[in-house]
């Protein structure tokens, strides 16, 4: 969205970007970073120069509460910030796992800063590792990390890559096998006891280190107020990105819920230009545009060796060409947002 305002004059008025970090990590390059193919600075966008160039104030801080009736946000350090229009783009976090974590180190995939930090420490003394969650993120992380640990287990409650074409799933299973990843499908881990992951009373895995890639759940503070939610607690929005209950609050990306719009980075990025247009229209009192999700999106999953698995609609393929293509797309995304 900010990129749009680099080329088109931003609307009048005071506009601020609130972020809990000084830069925004790009998830598409995270598996490559952990595989040792990128440096951290290649995978994140520094926000300060981007905001300065777009004429937007940067406010750093962690939001912990929202009052939708006064359009105000509460920060962890006690500050409160209110605005005529709010746009929520705070992403999601993996589904938490209940239990006792005294004997097991558990690291969620998000926030990325925490995962990158934990991985740096773990790398100094490699040990068997489990990844919980067999979606695209879990599969890519398993392929990136398997060559660097003595044993890697990928655990999925259902089949891995559910919702993706069967061809992509078959390719991923072959790739995981050739990387010596132990795959456990159909096991819903519901608790942790000591060093064991349990499905009911059955032990699924024992070890010391676990990465949680259990799919998107909403940030807890979004569920507290009177902002309309879907059944899972994501912000319910209309096709103009406005909250169905509070029209001065917009939401996009993982934190929002729009029928027929999957929750992944491709759709979040596609929403950016419409969000920029709609915020300008909102500030200038014009009509907001509707976002129509594209029916299919290209999926490119890094195979951990420089290649990638690809799917689009029902088609799938793999190889080094797709790895090269993914690198080009990822690096050009970061390049367009990095202001020197
Ligand atoms: C390992 C991994 C790999 C992935 N790879 C792909 C891929 O290749 N392709 C794809 O399409 N999707 C991918 N995804 C999914 C993708 O990351 C998300 O769908 C996408 O990032 C959602 O964008 P977003 O802008 O909604 O949220 P995010 O990208 O998560 O951004 C949210 C921002 O809000 C900030 N924030 C969060 N909470 C607060 C708070 N309380 N206060 C202040 N700031 C806050 C965060 O720091 C962050 O900058 C991947 C996910 C993971 C975990």
């Amino acid at each position: 969205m900010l990129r749009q305002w680099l080329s088109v004059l931003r609307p009048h008025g005071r506009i601020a970007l609130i972020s809990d970090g000084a830069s925004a990590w790009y998830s598409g390059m995270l598996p490559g970073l952990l595989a040792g193919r990128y440096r951290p600075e290649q995978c994140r966008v520094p926000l300060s120069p981007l905001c300065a160039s777009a004429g937007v104030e940067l406010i750093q801080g962690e939001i912990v509460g929202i009052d939708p009736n006064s359009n105000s946000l509460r920060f962890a350090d006690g500050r409160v910030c209110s605005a005529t229009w709010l746009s929520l783009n705070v992403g999601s976090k993996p589904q938490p796992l209940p239990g006792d974590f005294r004997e097991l180190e558990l690291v969620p995939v998000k926030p990325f800063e925490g995962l990158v930090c934990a991985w740096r420490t773990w790398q100094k003394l490699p040990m068997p590792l489990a990844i919980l969650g067999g979606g695209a993120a879990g599969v890519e992380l398993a392929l990136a990390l398997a060559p660097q640990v003595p044993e890697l287990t990928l655990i999925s409650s259902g089949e891995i890559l559910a919702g993706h074409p069967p061809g992509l799933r078959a390719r991923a299973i072959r790739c995981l096998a050739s990387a010596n990843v132990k795959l456990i499908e159909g096991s819903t881990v519901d608790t942790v006891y000591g060093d064991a992951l349990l499905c009911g009373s059955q032990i699924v895995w024992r070890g010391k280190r676990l990465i949680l890639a259990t799919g998107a759940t909403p940030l807890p503070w979004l569920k507290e107020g009177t902002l309309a939610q879907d059944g899972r607690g994501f912000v319910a929005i209309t096709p103009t990105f406005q909250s169905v209950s509070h029209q001065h609050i917009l939401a996009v990306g993982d934190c929002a819920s729009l029928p027929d719009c999957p929750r992944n980075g491709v759709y979040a990025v596609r929403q950016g230009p419409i969000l920029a247009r709609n915020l300008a229209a909102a500030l200038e009192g014009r009509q907001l545009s509707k976002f129509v999700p594209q029916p299919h999106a290209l999926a490119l999953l890094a195979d951990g060796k420089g290649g990638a698995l690809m799917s689009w609609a029902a088609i799938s393929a793999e190889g080094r060409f797709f790895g090269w293509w993914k690198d080009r797309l990822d690096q050009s995304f970061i390049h367009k947002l990095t202001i020197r």
Side-chain angles (χ1 to χ4, degrees), residues 20 27 61-63 89-91 109-110 137 219 221 253-254 264-266 268:
D20 54 3
S27 60
E62 187 196 357
I63 301 160
N89 328 279
V90 286
V109 280
K110 284 187 177 183
L219 300 183
W221 54 267
D254 275 14
N264 66 42
V266 172

Side-chain angles (χ1 to χ4, degrees), residues 139-258:
V139 169
E140 272 195 306
L141 287 176
L143 292 170
L145 302 182
Q148 306 178 64
V149 291
E151 190 187 293
L152 196 143
T153 307
L154 178 63
I155 306 164
S156 178
S157 56
E159 291 186 331
I160 59 158
L161 297 177
H164 289 266
L168 185 74
R169 198 181 113 70
R171 289 176 194 280
I173 288 174
R174 277 201 302 273
C175 231
L176 289 165
S178 79
N180 290 322
V181 173
K182 187 175 172 211
L183 179 59
I184 303 177
E185 293 184 300
S187 273
T188 305
V189 172
D190 44 35
T191 191
V192 173
Y193 186 76
D195 65 351
L197 301 186
L198 302 177
C199 169
S201 56
Q202 206 183 342
I203 295 178
V204 177
W205 181 82
R206 293 192 98 114
K208 296 278 177 217
R209 291 175 180 173
L210 174 68
I211 293 178
L212 210 55
T214 38
T217 60
L219 300 183
W221 54 267
L222 281 175
K223 299 196 264 181
E224 283 163 13
T226 52
L227 201 57
Q229 309 163 11
D230 70 2
R232 296 182 58 206
F234 292 103
V235 182
I237 55 165
T238 66
T240 57
F241 302 143
Q242 288 165 289
S243 150
V244 301
S245 58
H246 296 76
Q247 60 166 6
H248 282 71
I249 299 182
L250 282 72
V252 298
D254 275 14
C255 72
S257 174
L258 184 66

